[in-house]
């Protein structure tokens, strides 16, 4: 197989997005071994969302899981803790196929992260030699291949961010916008009310901005209400953060404990 053919399906989740299909993503907060990538693939997820903002996970562990995901054929995206460009660039250099940037309120913040994650002429990412994504081979046009494969996702989590949604979606190199519904609802004075009129209006606003600029639309924090999930898919959402390793472990363990507790004792 040629080098070019090897790279055509480098990011399977992005390929699904560009085909208009739904992407299901598993949040990774507790897992610290590469097994989680294979487990997520077996469970039917398209991507894993490695959370460095709300966990103690170090860079090295996030990178190891990301490289394992490459071999399994599942997309690893990493939510970095903040807006430091080197946090983003080291993650994508290490093996992730995407960066998720929390608390982006302005197009200027979004552009700064594009600069860190995309090679020229789109950004200013530094070249660090042959890439793990391309099996450390020198491939012609590697910068453009990696630009195309890397998902830069910005999270909108405040009223200011929603007001700036159109300008943020217009930033070249921003591939996807994600609403962080829990933080947004808290900021809007309706914590946990994911079906509140303010939240519904926010999804409509962001959906329109994404359609206008050809940007993918992602959702975090909404999964337990199928009707509401359907409504937001109707707004254009195609990438869903569908639970995390911690929430699924608790749910499964609770079901098992309840089943065993219900067995009569002789």
């Amino acid at each position: 197989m040629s080098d070019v053919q090897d790279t055509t399906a480098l990011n399977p989740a992005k390929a699904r997005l560009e085909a208009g299909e739904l992407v299901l993503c598993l949040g990774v907060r507790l897992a610290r071994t590469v097994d989680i990538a294979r487990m997520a693939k077996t469970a039917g997820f398209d991507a894993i969302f490695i959370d460095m903002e709300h966990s103690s996970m170090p860079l090295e562990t996030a990178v190891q899981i990301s490289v394992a995901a490459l071999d399994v054929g599942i997309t690893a995206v990493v939510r970095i803790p903040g807006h430091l460009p080197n946090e983003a660039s080291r993650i994508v250099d290490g093996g992730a196929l995407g960066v998720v940037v929390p608390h982006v309120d302005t197009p200027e913040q979004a552009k700064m992260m594009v600069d860190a994650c995309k090679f020229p002429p789109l950004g200013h990412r530094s070249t660090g030699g042959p890439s793990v994504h391309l099996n450390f081979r020198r491939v012609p046009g590697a910068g453009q291949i990696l630009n195309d494969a890397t998902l830069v996702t910005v999270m909108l989590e405040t009223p200011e961010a929603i007001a700036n949604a159109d300008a943020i979606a217009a930033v070249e190199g921003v591939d996807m916008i994600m609403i962080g519904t829990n933080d947004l609802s808290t900021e809007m004075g309706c914590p946990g009310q994911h079906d509140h009129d303010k939240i519904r209006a926010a999804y409509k606003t962001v959906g329109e901005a994404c359609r206008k600029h050809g940007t993918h639309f992602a959702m975090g924090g909404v999964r337990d209400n199928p009707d509401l999930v359907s409504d937001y898919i109707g707004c254009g959402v195609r990438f869903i953060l569908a639970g995390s390793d911690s929430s699924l472990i608790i749910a499964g363990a609770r079901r098992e404990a309840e089943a065993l507790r219900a067995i009569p004792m002789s």
Side-chain angles (χ1 to χ4, degrees), residues 175-191:
D175 299 292
M176 186 157 64
I177 289 177
M178 173 179 279
I179 291 183
T181 318
N182 287 317
D183 279 353
L184 181 62
S185 64
T186 300
E187 292 274 356
M188 287 186 160
C190 50

Side-chain angles (χ1 to χ4, degrees), residues 95-118:
L97 283 168
V99 168
V100 181
V101 187
H103 309 294
V104 172
D105 291 328
T106 68
E108 291 78 17
Q109 291 172 335
K111 180 64 170 77
M112 179 176 65
M113 303 316 298
V114 170
D115 285 346
C117 296
K118 303 279 189 173

Side-chain angles (χ1 to χ4, degrees), residues 49-256:
F49 180 104
I50 301 171
D51 191 355
M52 293 181 67
E53 182 190 14
H54 293 300
S55 78
S56 60
M57 185 179 296
L59 172 67
E60 183 177 6
T61 302
V63 165
Q64 288 176 350
I65 295 172
S66 296
V67 173
L70 287 174
D71 291 335
V72 173
I74 191 171
T75 297
V77 299
V78 180
R79 178 161 65 181
I80 57 176
H83 294 179
L84 293 179
N86 64 333
E87 289 178 339
S89 62
R90 293 181 73 192
I91 281 295
V92 289
D93 281 350
L97 283 168
V99 168
V100 181
V101 187
H103 309 294
V104 172
D105 291 328
T106 68
E108 291 78 17
Q109 291 172 335
K111 180 64 170 77
M112 179 176 65
M113 303 316 298
V114 170
D115 285 346
C117 296
K118 303 279 189 173
F119 292 106
L122 193 54
H124 299 289
R125 177 178 168 185
S126 177
T127 302
S131 166
V132 62
H133 304 86
L134 304 178
N135 295 322
F136 297 103
R137 292 173 295 187
R138 294 191 179 277
V139 177
Q144 185 59 54
I145 290 169
L146 292 174
N147 276 357
D148 290 343
T150 301
L151 272 171
V152 175
T153 303
V154 297
M155 294 190 69
L156 309 191
E157 304 178 83
T158 67
E160 179 186 4
I162 301 302
N164 287 329
D166 186 78
I168 292 170
V171 174
E172 188 177 8
V174 169
D175 299 292
M176 186 157 64
I177 289 177
M178 173 179 279
I179 291 183
T181 318
N182 287 317
D183 279 353
L184 181 62
S185 64
T186 300
E187 292 274 356
M188 287 186 160
C190 50
Q193 299 178 54
H194 297 162
D195 60 347
H196 194 282
D197 288 346
K198 292 180 181 179
I199 304 302
R200 287 183 177 273
Y203 269 90
K204 181 179 178 182
T205 295
V206 175
E208 290 172 350
C210 287
R211 279 191 293 272
K212 177 180 176 181
H213 297 287
T215 308
H216 300 300
F217 190 6
M219 175 171 68
V222 181
R223 62 182 179 274
D224 295 331
N225 183 334
D227 291 336
L228 189 60
V229 171
S230 178
D231 287 348
Y232 291 154
I233 288 174
C235 291
V237 166
R238 293 295 180 270
F239 185 107
I240 298 176
L241 183 54
S244 66
D245 51 4
S246 56
S247 65
L248 293 174
I249 287 170
I250 291 171
R254 180 181 291 116
R255 285 195 300 270
E256 187 72 12

Side-chain angles (χ1 to χ4, degrees), residues 12-13 16 22-26 40-41 44-48 73-76:
R16 288 182 67 90
L22 196 65
V23 171
L24 300 181
C25 185
L26 173 68
K41 177 74 172 181
F45 289 92
D46 307 297
I48 54 175
I74 191 171
T75 297

